[in-house]
């Protein structure tokens, strides 16, 4: 570390006012990047399954794109977490978004040359943008105190909404643009994804200075040096591990249910005569519900507790699964309600689970642990996405939705275990 950097870090260690200013500035910068990151994520989610269906000529593997880019996001989550731990949030997040943008470009090229192999390889790389969009939520918490963490997470997620809702509703516009330049229409949204991910990466690389994780680590080291009391170390480690397990389990279960039902909804709607505009509308409501309620959710998580909101997540996902299971395929309104509830349940689970992870880690290992947990989230999403197409092909969309709703009930015993273990 250079003497200039050391002096800058010390100035933040010595001044709580500067810490507060950096906390607010970090939230603003990350939030701006999330607008573009959300657009890049949502555009691909909307048409990924349809593009694979068109190129493969079968529904059985329509869930594979979601599985692939969530699988790719698993590897990317680990890499972004390690890069962030070693070099700071700025380097890790910027690299992740840039790689995701390259993946989106690969999807466009695969559609032009009709190469399924390139499509699948590009979707794996595209997953880096998905992982980074999710990991950016941690950056706002590095300088937050215990009662600010869920709210900090929620603020960045709210701004994701602007891009996330715009992405699906630009499907037709981007499709027309793609056709005008000689690109297949279903590849159009990935043009938006490429531009959005690259812009998000540039914003973070240029503006996220000083790095919040680096400053938070310096503050923690300084506090440890001035306060060498090391009592109850073993108990603290056990509690930290328990918090990480519970937080990760909450996010894994909500991710499986959300990705499985969301992935096959566009295919289900297309079979019942809905056009791309209506499909984009439903997915837009879904993604809006994933992110827009975040500010309220964050306040609720900080006020009523992580476990209470995890139970609310399970109940909401169950209701979403039941409604999507019984809704007639031609009922746009019921599908909007079901997918909105699906997004809301995921939102409750993600913010409560994320807050538990941040509560249970120290800055010296936080980014690495967060990256590892997000690997599990991505792998669970990959399995949910890949299996969803097979379940629908072998049975029905109703079966998939009903099964997803029941799976969400597993959140309740997880929460009961976490509460019982504290006695």
């Amino acid at each position: 570390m250079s003497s200039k950097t050391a002096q800058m870090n010390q100035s933040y260690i010595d001044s709580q006012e500067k810490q507060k200013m950096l906390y607010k500035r970090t939230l603003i910068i990350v939030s701006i990047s999330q607008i573009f990151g959300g657009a890049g994520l949502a555009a691909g989610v909307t048409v990924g399954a349809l593009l694979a269906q068109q190129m493969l000529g079968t529904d059985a593997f329509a869930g594979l794109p979601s599985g692939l880019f969530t699988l790719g996001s698993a590897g990317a989550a680990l890499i972004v977490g390690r890069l962030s731990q070693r070099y700071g949030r700025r380097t890790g997040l910027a690299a992740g978004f840039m790689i995701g943008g390259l993946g989106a470009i690969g999807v466009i090229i695969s559609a032009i040359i009709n190469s399924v192999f390139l499509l699948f390889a590009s979707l794996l790389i595209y997953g880096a943008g998905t992982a980074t969009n999710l990991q950016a939520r941690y950056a706002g918490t590095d300088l937050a105190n215990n009662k600010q963490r869920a709210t900090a997470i929620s603020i960045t997620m709210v701004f994701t909404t602007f891009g996330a809702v715009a992405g699906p509703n630009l499907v037709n516009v981007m499709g027309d643009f793609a056709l005008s330049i000689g690109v297949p229409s279903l590849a159009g949204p990935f043009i938006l994804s490429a531009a959005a991910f690259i812009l998000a990466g540039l914003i973070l690389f240029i503006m996220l200075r000083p790095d919040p994780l680096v400053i938070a680590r310096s503050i923690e080291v300084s506090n440890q040096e001035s306060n060498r009391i090391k009592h109850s170390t073993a108990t603290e480690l056990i509690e930290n591990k328990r918090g990480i397990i519970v937080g990760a389990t909450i996010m894994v279960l909500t991710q499986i249910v959300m990705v499985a039902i969301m992935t096959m909804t566009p295919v289900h709607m297309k079979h019942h005569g809905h056009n791309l505009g209506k499909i984009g509308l439903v997915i837009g409501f879904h993604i809006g519900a994933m992110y827009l309620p975040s500010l309220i959710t964050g306040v609720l998580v900080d006020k009523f507790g992580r476990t209470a909101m995890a139970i609310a997540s399970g109940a909401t996902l169950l209701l979403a699964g039941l409604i999507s299971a019984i809704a007639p395929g031609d009922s746009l309104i019921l599908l909007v309600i079901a997918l909105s509830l699906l997004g809301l349940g995921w939102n409750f689970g993600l913010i409560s689970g994320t807050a538990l992870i941040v509560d249970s880690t120290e800055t010296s290992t936080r980014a690495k642990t967060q990256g590892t947990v997000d690997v599990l989230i991505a792998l669970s999403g990959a399995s949910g996405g890949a299996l969803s197409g097979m379940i629908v092909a072998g049975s029905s969309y109703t079966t998939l939705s009903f099964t997803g709703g029941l799976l969400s009930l597993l959140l309740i015993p997880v929460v009961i275990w976490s509460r019982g273990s504290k006695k």
Side-chain angles (χ1 to χ4, degrees):
M1 185 185 295
S2 67
S3 58
K4 185 177 180 181
T5 302
Q7 288 176 0
M8 180 188 68
N9 289 356
Q10 189 62 46
S11 70
Y12 282 95
I13 293 170
D14 295 337
S15 172
Q16 289 191 356
E17 188 61 32
K18 291 192 71 172
Q19 292 174 27
K20 291 177 182 178
M21 289 176 62
L22 180 58
Y23 166 65
K24 293 177 181 178
R25 184 171 182 271
T26 299
L27 282 179
I28 292 171
I29 295 168
V30 173
S31 296
I32 293 171
S33 74
Q34 287 296 83
I35 296 175
F36 295 101
L41 164 67
V45 166
T46 305
V47 299
L50 299 177
L51 184 60
Q53 181 193 41
Q54 183 183 79
M55 294 177 70
L56 293 169
T58 176
D59 288 350
F61 300 101
L64 198 54
S66 178
L68 284 169
F69 65 69
T70 48
L71 182 62
S73 73
L78 188 63
I79 294 170
V80 171
R82 297 297 172 93
L83 283 174
S84 298
Q85 187 67 54
R86 185 167 183 179
Y87 301 107
R89 299 287 186 193
R90 171 176 164 267
T91 299
L93 295 177
F97 273 131
M98 293 290 189
I99 294 170
L102 292 176
I105 292 172
V107 172
I108 298 165
I109 296 172
S110 72
I112 294 172
I113 66 177
N114 197 34
S115 170
V116 174
F117 175 78
L118 180 58
L119 171 68
F120 290 164
S122 298
L123 285 168
L124 279 169
I125 301 172
Y126 170 81
T130 306
T132 309
N133 189 70
L134 194 59
Q135 281 213 25
R137 74 194 188 279
Y138 290 118
T141 68
D142 289 326
L143 294 168
N145 61 41
N146 290 350
K147 294 185 178 180
Q148 292 177 320
R149 286 169 179 166
T151 303
I153 296 162
S154 68
I155 289 172
T156 58
M157 290 181 64
V158 164
F159 278 86
T160 306
T161 309
F162 295 107
V165 173
N169 288 292
L170 290 173
V171 166
N172 284 333
V173 174
M174 294 307 300
D176 292 341
F177 172 74
L179 287 173
S180 71
I181 59 173
V183 175
S185 62
L186 287 177
F190 283 96
I191 298 175
L192 175 62
S193 292
F197 279 157
I198 291 171
L199 274 172
L202 287 173
I203 288 169
L204 290 167
F205 186 75
I206 294 170
M207 300 180 68
L208 198 61
R209 302 167 185 263
D211 192 285
L213 182 59
V214 173
I215 297 298
R217 192 181 298 145
S218 298
I219 293 170
E220 186 174 272
V221 169
S222 176
N223 290 339
Q224 288 174 347
E225 289 176 352
S226 61
N227 184 12
R228 289 289 185 179
I229 301 173
K230 293 183 178 180
H231 57 82
S232 304
T233 302
T235 301
E236 288 172 10
L237 286 173
I238 291 172
E239 289 178 349
N240 283 346
K241 289 180 181 178
R242 182 180 298 133
I244 292 169
I245 291 169
V246 174
T249 302
I250 290 169
M251 290 190 284
V252 163
L253 286 173
T254 53
Q255 186 78 357
I256 291 173
V257 174
M258 186 276 290
V259 171
I261 297 175
M262 175 201 68
T263 296
M264 293 310 297
T265 297
V267 177
H268 172 68
M269 291 181 68
K270 188 175 181 182
H271 283 319
H272 286 84
H274 296 285
N275 59 30
L276 278 179
K278 291 181 179 179
I279 292 171
L281 177 68
V282 170
I283 297 299
F285 269 99
H286 165 67
I287 297 179
M290 287 172 64
Y291 296 101
L292 191 56
S294 296
L295 194 56
I296 296 173
T297 303
V299 173
L300 292 175
V301 170
D302 281 333
K303 185 173 183 179
F304 295 109
R306 283 55 164 147
T307 54
M309 292 306 294
I311 292 175
S313 171
T316 307
L317 289 172
L318 173 62
L319 185 58
L322 293 177
I323 293 176
S324 59
I326 65 174
D330 58 354
S331 176
L332 185 64
I333 293 176
L334 286 178
L335 286 172
V336 166
I337 293 172
L339 269 290
S340 296
L341 287 170
L342 186 70
L344 183 62
W346 177 86
N347 177 272
F348 289 167
L350 184 75
I351 294 180
S352 58
T354 299
L356 274 169
I357 297 296
V358 177
D359 292 344
S360 305
T361 53
E362 297 181 351
T363 56
S364 57
T365 58
R366 181 169 295 160
K368 181 179 177 181
T369 302
Q370 290 164 345
T372 302
V373 170
D374 277 6
V375 169
L376 297 176
I377 296 171
L379 289 174
S380 65
S383 62
L387 291 173
S388 63
M390 298 178 187
I391 293 173
V392 172
S395 182
S396 66
Y397 178 78
T398 298
T399 300
L400 173 68
S401 300
F402 187 69
T403 303
L406 291 178
L407 184 62
S408 66
L409 290 178
L410 289 176
L411 287 172
I412 296 175
V414 169
V415 170
I416 292 173
W417 173 77
S418 69
R419 285 181 169 177
S421 60
K422 291 178 183 178
K423 295 179 181 179

